[in-house]
PDB file of all heavy atoms in Angstrom:
ATOM      1  N   LEU A   7      46.116  52.454 130.179  1.00  0.00           N
ATOM      2  CA  LEU A   7      45.653  53.530 131.070  1.00  0.00           C
ATOM      3  C   LEU A   7      46.120  53.268 132.500  1.00  0.00           C
ATOM      4  O   LEU A   7      46.553  54.183 133.209  1.00  0.00           O
ATOM      5  CB  LEU A   7      44.118  53.623 131.010  1.00  0.00           C
ATOM      6  CG  LEU A   7      43.515  54.102 129.685  1.00  0.00           C
ATOM      7  CD1 LEU A   7      41.995  53.976 129.717  1.00  0.00           C
ATOM      8  CD2 LEU A   7      43.907  55.536 129.379  1.00  0.00           C
ATOM      9  N   LEU A  12      46.504  55.725 136.025  1.00  0.00           N
ATOM     10  CA  LEU A  12      45.092  56.110 136.168  1.00  0.00           C
ATOM     11  C   LEU A  12      44.287  54.971 136.781  1.00  0.00           C
ATOM     12  O   LEU A  12      44.592  53.795 136.559  1.00  0.00           O
ATOM     13  CB  LEU A  12      44.501  56.436 134.781  1.00  0.00           C
ATOM     14  CG  LEU A  12      45.178  57.576 134.026  1.00  0.00           C
ATOM     15  CD1 LEU A  12      44.713  57.581 132.579  1.00  0.00           C
ATOM     16  CD2 LEU A  12      44.852  58.902 134.698  1.00  0.00           C
ATOM     17  N   VAL A  14      40.975  52.950 136.440  1.00  0.00           N
ATOM     18  CA  VAL A  14      40.132  52.711 135.264  1.00  0.00           C
ATOM     19  C   VAL A  14      38.967  51.807 135.617  1.00  0.00           C
ATOM     20  O   VAL A  14      39.138  50.808 136.329  1.00  0.00           O
ATOM     21  CB  VAL A  14      40.943  52.014 134.140  1.00  0.00           C
ATOM     22  CG1 VAL A  14      40.118  51.963 132.847  1.00  0.00           C
ATOM     23  CG2 VAL A  14      42.263  52.689 133.909  1.00  0.00           C
ATOM     24  N   ALA A  15      37.776  52.157 135.134  1.00  0.00           N
ATOM     25  CA  ALA A  15      36.631  51.261 135.239  1.00  0.00           C
ATOM     26  C   ALA A  15      35.975  51.163 133.870  1.00  0.00           C
ATOM     27  O   ALA A  15      35.960  52.134 133.103  1.00  0.00           O
ATOM     28  CB  ALA A  15      35.619  51.795 136.255  1.00  0.00           C
ATOM     29  N   LEU A  25      26.872  54.801 125.742  1.00  0.00           N
ATOM     30  CA  LEU A  25      28.040  54.826 124.854  1.00  0.00           C
ATOM     31  C   LEU A  25      27.884  55.782 123.673  1.00  0.00           C
ATOM     32  O   LEU A  25      28.814  56.511 123.336  1.00  0.00           O
ATOM     33  CB  LEU A  25      28.325  53.416 124.339  1.00  0.00           C
ATOM     34  CG  LEU A  25      28.817  52.434 125.410  1.00  0.00           C
ATOM     35  CD1 LEU A  25      28.918  51.030 124.830  1.00  0.00           C
ATOM     36  CD2 LEU A  25      30.170  52.860 125.960  1.00  0.00           C
ATOM     37  N   TRP A  27      25.978  58.400 123.349  1.00  0.00           N
ATOM     38  CA  TRP A  27      25.976  59.782 123.827  1.00  0.00           C
ATOM     39  C   TRP A  27      27.405  60.209 124.178  1.00  0.00           C
ATOM     40  O   TRP A  27      27.866  61.291 123.786  1.00  0.00           O
ATOM     41  CB  TRP A  27      25.052  59.890 125.050  1.00  0.00           C
ATOM     42  CG  TRP A  27      25.010  61.269 125.634  1.00  0.00           C
ATOM     43  CD1 TRP A  27      24.238  62.315 125.237  1.00  0.00           C
ATOM     44  CD2 TRP A  27      25.820  61.758 126.720  1.00  0.00           C
ATOM     45  NE1 TRP A  27      24.498  63.419 126.004  1.00  0.00           N
ATOM     46  CE2 TRP A  27      25.470  63.111 126.921  1.00  0.00           C
ATOM     47  CE3 TRP A  27      26.794  61.181 127.531  1.00  0.00           C
ATOM     48  CZ2 TRP A  27      26.061  63.886 127.900  1.00  0.00           C
ATOM     49  CZ3 TRP A  27      27.393  61.965 128.504  1.00  0.00           C
ATOM     50  CH2 TRP A  27      27.020  63.300 128.677  1.00  0.00           C
ATOM     51  N   ASP A  59      40.038  58.642 136.538  1.00  0.00           N
ATOM     52  CA  ASP A  59      39.920  59.515 137.703  1.00  0.00           C
ATOM     53  C   ASP A  59      40.601  60.859 137.516  1.00  0.00           C
ATOM     54  O   ASP A  59      40.995  61.498 138.483  1.00  0.00           O
ATOM     55  CB  ASP A  59      40.476  58.802 138.944  1.00  0.00           C
ATOM     56  CG  ASP A  59      41.928  58.381 138.777  1.00  0.00           C
ATOM     57  OD1 ASP A  59      42.390  58.303 137.618  1.00  0.00           O
ATOM     58  OD2 ASP A  59      42.602  58.144 139.785  1.00  0.00           O
ATOM     59  N   VAL A  60      40.749  61.311 136.261  1.00  0.00           N
ATOM     60  CA  VAL A  60      41.238  62.685 136.025  1.00  0.00           C
ATOM     61  C   VAL A  60      40.372  63.327 134.944  1.00  0.00           C
ATOM     62  O   VAL A  60      39.891  62.638 134.048  1.00  0.00           O
ATOM     63  CB  VAL A  60      42.723  62.729 135.559  1.00  0.00           C
ATOM     64  CG1 VAL A  60      43.653  62.260 136.655  1.00  0.00           C
ATOM     65  CG2 VAL A  60      42.930  61.958 134.286  1.00  0.00           C
ATOM     66  N   ASN A  68      34.773  67.147 114.788  1.00  0.00           N
ATOM     67  CA  ASN A  68      34.640  66.424 113.528  1.00  0.00           C
ATOM     68  C   ASN A  68      33.880  67.309 112.532  1.00  0.00           C
ATOM     69  O   ASN A  68      33.213  68.257 112.925  1.00  0.00           O
ATOM     70  CB  ASN A  68      33.937  65.088 113.721  1.00  0.00           C
ATOM     71  CG  ASN A  68      32.485  65.264 114.091  1.00  0.00           C
ATOM     72  OD1 ASN A  68      31.687  65.704 113.284  1.00  0.00           O
ATOM     73  ND2 ASN A  68      32.136  64.923 115.330  1.00  0.00           N
ATOM     74  N   LEU A  89      11.040  52.344 113.663  1.00  0.00           N
ATOM     75  CA  LEU A  89      11.696  53.647 113.485  1.00  0.00           C
ATOM     76  C   LEU A  89      10.649  54.560 112.856  1.00  0.00           C
ATOM     77  O   LEU A  89      10.588  54.740 111.644  1.00  0.00           O
ATOM     78  CB  LEU A  89      12.928  53.481 112.590  1.00  0.00           C
ATOM     79  CG  LEU A  89      13.832  54.702 112.406  1.00  0.00           C
ATOM     80  CD1 LEU A  89      14.392  55.190 113.728  1.00  0.00           C
ATOM     81  CD2 LEU A  89      14.954  54.391 111.435  1.00  0.00           C
ATOM     82  N   CYS A 103      15.147  43.849 118.874  1.00  0.00           N
ATOM     83  CA  CYS A 103      14.726  43.481 120.240  1.00  0.00           C
ATOM     84  C   CYS A 103      13.883  42.218 120.225  1.00  0.00           C
ATOM     85  O   CYS A 103      14.036  41.349 121.094  1.00  0.00           O
ATOM     86  CB  CYS A 103      13.917  44.623 120.868  1.00  0.00           C
ATOM     87  SG  CYS A 103      14.877  46.108 121.102  1.00  0.00           S
ATOM     88  N   GLN A 118       5.672  38.807 113.954  1.00  0.00           N
ATOM     89  CA  GLN A 118       6.604  37.745 113.570  1.00  0.00           C
ATOM     90  C   GLN A 118       6.749  37.570 112.056  1.00  0.00           C
ATOM     91  O   GLN A 118       7.787  37.162 111.570  1.00  0.00           O
ATOM     92  CB  GLN A 118       6.250  36.404 114.220  1.00  0.00           C
ATOM     93  CG  GLN A 118       4.887  35.795 113.877  1.00  0.00           C
ATOM     94  CD  GLN A 118       4.749  35.249 112.484  1.00  0.00           C
ATOM     95  OE1 GLN A 118       3.747  35.506 111.807  1.00  0.00           O
ATOM     96  NE2 GLN A 118       5.770  34.511 112.051  1.00  0.00           N
ATOM     97  N   ASN A 119       5.728  37.929 111.305  1.00  0.00           N
ATOM     98  CA  ASN A 119       5.808  37.772 109.849  1.00  0.00           C
ATOM     99  C   ASN A 119       6.521  38.944 109.175  1.00  0.00           C
ATOM    100  O   ASN A 119       6.643  38.996 107.963  1.00  0.00           O
ATOM    101  CB  ASN A 119       4.412  37.572 109.245  1.00  0.00           C
ATOM    102  CG  ASN A 119       3.517  38.779 109.495  1.00  0.00           C
ATOM    103  OD1 ASN A 119       3.862  39.638 110.301  1.00  0.00           O
ATOM    104  ND2 ASN A 119       2.390  38.845 108.822  1.00  0.00           N
ATOM    105  N   VAL A 174      29.700  27.750 121.526  1.00  0.00           N
ATOM    106  CA  VAL A 174      30.233  28.376 120.306  1.00  0.00           C
ATOM    107  C   VAL A 174      29.356  29.548 119.845  1.00  0.00           C
ATOM    108  O   VAL A 174      29.853  30.653 119.624  1.00  0.00           O
ATOM    109  CB  VAL A 174      30.363  27.335 119.156  1.00  0.00           C
ATOM    110  CG1 VAL A 174      30.887  28.015 117.892  1.00  0.00           C
ATOM    111  CG2 VAL A 174      31.290  26.191 119.580  1.00  0.00           C
ATOM    112  N   TYR A 181      23.297  38.442 123.060  1.00  0.00           N
ATOM    113  CA  TYR A 181      22.123  39.187 123.549  1.00  0.00           C
ATOM    114  C   TYR A 181      21.037  38.232 124.039  1.00  0.00           C
ATOM    115  O   TYR A 181      20.166  38.631 124.792  1.00  0.00           O
ATOM    116  CB  TYR A 181      21.527  40.057 122.445  1.00  0.00           C
ATOM    117  CG  TYR A 181      22.254  41.361 122.210  1.00  0.00           C
ATOM    118  CD1 TYR A 181      23.467  41.642 122.813  1.00  0.00           C
ATOM    119  CD2 TYR A 181      21.692  42.323 121.383  1.00  0.00           C
ATOM    120  CE1 TYR A 181      24.111  42.842 122.587  1.00  0.00           C
ATOM    121  CE2 TYR A 181      22.336  43.535 121.153  1.00  0.00           C
ATOM    122  CZ  TYR A 181      23.549  43.781 121.754  1.00  0.00           C
ATOM    123  OH  TYR A 181      24.183  44.977 121.529  1.00  0.00           O
ATOM    124  N   ARG A 189      16.135  29.817 122.312  1.00  0.00           N
ATOM    125  CA  ARG A 189      15.662  31.012 121.612  1.00  0.00           C
ATOM    126  C   ARG A 189      16.205  31.093 120.175  1.00  0.00           C
ATOM    127  O   ARG A 189      15.518  31.531 119.251  1.00  0.00           O
ATOM    128  CB  ARG A 189      16.084  32.254 122.413  1.00  0.00           C
ATOM    129  CG  ARG A 189      15.587  33.561 121.872  1.00  0.00           C
ATOM    130  CD  ARG A 189      14.085  33.613 121.999  1.00  0.00           C
ATOM    131  NE  ARG A 189      13.472  34.356 120.932  1.00  0.00           N
ATOM    132  CZ  ARG A 189      13.225  35.663 120.946  1.00  0.00           C
ATOM    133  NH1 ARG A 189      13.507  36.371 122.017  1.00  0.00           N
ATOM    134  NH2 ARG A 189      12.662  36.246 119.927  1.00  0.00           N
ATOM    135  N   ALA A 194      14.991  30.730 114.305  1.00  0.00           N
ATOM    136  CA  ALA A 194      15.265  30.080 113.016  1.00  0.00           C
ATOM    137  C   ALA A 194      13.990  29.424 112.469  1.00  0.00           C
ATOM    138  O   ALA A 194      13.731  29.473 111.260  1.00  0.00           O
ATOM    139  CB  ALA A 194      16.373  29.039 113.192  1.00  0.00           C
ATOM    140  N   TYR A 206      12.627  22.569 104.190  1.00  0.00           N
ATOM    141  CA  TYR A 206      12.511  22.865 105.621  1.00  0.00           C
ATOM    142  C   TYR A 206      11.542  21.923 106.335  1.00  0.00           C
ATOM    143  O   TYR A 206      11.611  21.780 107.556  1.00  0.00           O
ATOM    144  CB  TYR A 206      12.029  24.306 105.845  1.00  0.00           C
ATOM    145  CG  TYR A 206      12.995  25.384 105.421  1.00  0.00           C
ATOM    146  CD1 TYR A 206      12.535  26.657 105.108  1.00  0.00           C
ATOM    147  CD2 TYR A 206      14.362  25.143 105.366  1.00  0.00           C
ATOM    148  CE1 TYR A 206      13.416  27.659 104.735  1.00  0.00           C
ATOM    149  CE2 TYR A 206      15.247  26.143 104.978  1.00  0.00           C
ATOM    150  CZ  TYR A 206      14.765  27.397 104.669  1.00  0.00           C
ATOM    151  OH  TYR A 206      15.637  28.390 104.294  1.00  0.00           O
ATOM    152  N   ILE A 209      12.807  19.253 108.658  1.00  0.00           N
ATOM    153  CA  ILE A 209      13.529  19.851 109.797  1.00  0.00           C
ATOM    154  C   ILE A 209      12.525  20.348 110.837  1.00  0.00           C
ATOM    155  O   ILE A 209      12.694  20.139 112.042  1.00  0.00           O
ATOM    156  CB  ILE A 209      14.395  21.056 109.327  1.00  0.00           C
ATOM    157  CG1 ILE A 209      15.229  20.704 108.103  1.00  0.00           C
ATOM    158  CG2 ILE A 209      15.233  21.617 110.470  1.00  0.00           C
ATOM    159  CD1 ILE A 209      16.401  19.826 108.334  1.00  0.00           C
ATOM    160  N   ASP A 215      10.267  17.257 118.183  1.00  0.00           N
ATOM    161  CA  ASP A 215      10.770  16.356 119.234  1.00  0.00           C
ATOM    162  C   ASP A 215      11.952  16.979 119.988  1.00  0.00           C
ATOM    163  O   ASP A 215      12.690  16.278 120.678  1.00  0.00           O
ATOM    164  CB  ASP A 215      11.229  15.030 118.618  1.00  0.00           C
ATOM    165  CG  ASP A 215      10.059  14.263 118.047  1.00  0.00           C
ATOM    166  OD1 ASP A 215       8.972  14.311 118.646  1.00  0.00           O
ATOM    167  OD2 ASP A 215      10.228  13.633 116.973  1.00  0.00           O
ATOM    168  N   GLU A 220       9.574  24.922 124.433  1.00  0.00           N
ATOM    169  CA  GLU A 220       9.403  26.149 123.643  1.00  0.00           C
ATOM    170  C   GLU A 220       9.638  25.874 122.149  1.00  0.00           C
ATOM    171  O   GLU A 220       8.940  26.413 121.293  1.00  0.00           O
ATOM    172  CB  GLU A 220      10.392  27.225 124.115  1.00  0.00           C
ATOM    173  CG  GLU A 220      10.097  27.802 125.497  1.00  0.00           C
ATOM    174  CD  GLU A 220      10.723  26.980 126.632  1.00  0.00           C
ATOM    175  OE1 GLU A 220      11.262  25.874 126.348  1.00  0.00           O
ATOM    176  OE2 GLU A 220      10.663  27.451 127.778  1.00  0.00           O
ATOM    177  N   LYS A 226       5.448  23.034 116.170  1.00  0.00           N
ATOM    178  CA  LYS A 226       4.068  22.581 115.895  1.00  0.00           C
ATOM    179  C   LYS A 226       3.237  23.736 115.338  1.00  0.00           C
ATOM    180  O   LYS A 226       2.441  23.557 114.428  1.00  0.00           O
ATOM    181  CB  LYS A 226       3.429  22.042 117.181  1.00  0.00           C
ATOM    182  CG  LYS A 226       3.964  20.661 117.564  1.00  0.00           C
ATOM    183  CD  LYS A 226       3.415  20.231 118.907  1.00  0.00           C
ATOM    184  CE  LYS A 226       4.277  19.090 119.450  1.00  0.00           C
ATOM    185  NZ  LYS A 226       4.155  18.899 120.880  1.00  0.00           N
ATOM    186  N   ILE A 237       0.373  24.260 102.544  1.00  0.00           N
ATOM    187  CA  ILE A 237       1.753  23.899 102.159  1.00  0.00           C
ATOM    188  C   ILE A 237       2.135  22.564 102.774  1.00  0.00           C
ATOM    189  O   ILE A 237       2.779  21.726 102.177  1.00  0.00           O
ATOM    190  CB  ILE A 237       2.755  24.977 102.596  1.00  0.00           C
ATOM    191  CG1 ILE A 237       2.493  26.254 101.812  1.00  0.00           C
ATOM    192  CG2 ILE A 237       4.193  24.519 102.397  1.00  0.00           C
ATOM    193  CD1 ILE A 237       3.294  27.447 102.249  1.00  0.00           C
TER     194      ILE A 237
END
Side-chain angles (χ1 to χ4, degrees):
L7 292 173
L12 300 167
V14 189
L25 292 174
W27 179 84
D59 58 340
V60 294
N68 69 68
L89 186 60
C103 296
Q118 62 72 226
N119 62 347
V174 179
Y181 280 9
R189 184 67 213 269
Y206 293 156
I209 311 286
D215 293 324
E220 290 86 352
K226 285 174 197 160
I237 294 173

